[in-house]
Amino acid sequence: MSCRLCGKSRKMTGKAKIIIIVMISTLLLCLFCWRVPIILKIETLRLPDGCEVVYPTKVRTSDVYWFHIEGEKVIKCDVGYEAAKEYIETHNSWFKLTNITIYTYDSTAMSDLGIYHSEYDDYFQEQPDQDNYVLISYFKKWD
């Protein structure tokens, strides 16, 4: 590698190589692994016994504004929505529940922003125990 100003040939030092590798690795991690902490946050929540995953965790950035990150997971709990919400809120730390809200799956509170929509879900509409479906929602605004 030669210097543009003086034309002398210079070799890249070991420190410079390490710095470049760290910068490239950080950039790649930011581009491709930004979803991992959100998925882990939703997946590591303590849930009541008897819960089963109906729809797995999905994470995306907002279509409208890039710096809004949303993630959702739908579970079915035998104990019902109210008891499941209370259990999740009491058995998880405030840190784990930061940016997480618990909704009923058939609520229209997140219908314009949500990933999963009960109104378009034929499987859900056929179920007699719709009160047992719980939507775990992660929503973060970067201001």
Side-chain angles (χ1 to χ4, degrees), residues 22-78:
V22 167
M23 288 173 51
I24 291 172
S25 299
T26 303
L27 179 67
L28 289 174
L29 282 173
C30 289
L31 286 176
F32 298 110
C33 298
W34 61 270
R35 295 176 179 179
V36 172
I38 299 165
I39 292 171
L40 286 175
K41 189 168 194 169
I42 295 173
E43 289 294 325
T44 58
L45 287 174
R46 289 176 141 179
L47 302 175
D49 293 333
C51 287
E52 63 182 71
V53 176
V54 179
Y55 297 119
T57 304
K58 285 189 179 179
V59 178
R60 69 177 185 188
T61 57
S62 174
D63 297 340
V64 178
Y65 187 63
W66 279 22
F67 298 111
H68 290 182
I69 299 173
E70 52 199 10
E72 290 183 359
K73 176 181 185 176
V74 178
I75 59 173
K76 180 182 176 186
C77 293
D78 296 336

Side-chain angles (χ1 to χ4, degrees), residues 4-18:
R4 288 185 184 182
L5 298 174
C6 63
K8 292 181 182 177
S9 178
R10 292 189 176 182
K11 290 187 177 182
M12 194 177 295
T13 64
K15 279 186 177 180
K17 288 179 183 177
I18 291 172

Side-chain angles (χ1 to χ4, degrees), residues 37-39 41-42 58-60 69-73 96-101 103 110 115 136-142:
I38 299 165
I39 292 171
K41 189 168 194 169
I42 295 173
K58 285 189 179 179
V59 178
R60 69 177 185 188
I69 299 173
E70 52 199 10
E72 290 183 359
K73 176 181 185 176
K96 275 191 165 183
L97 294 173
T98 305
N99 300 319
I100 289 184
T101 310
Y103 298 105
M110 296 288 287
I115 297 171
I136 300 171
S137 176
Y138 175 93
F139 186 73
K140 170 100 174 155
K141 289 183 186 179
W142 294 92

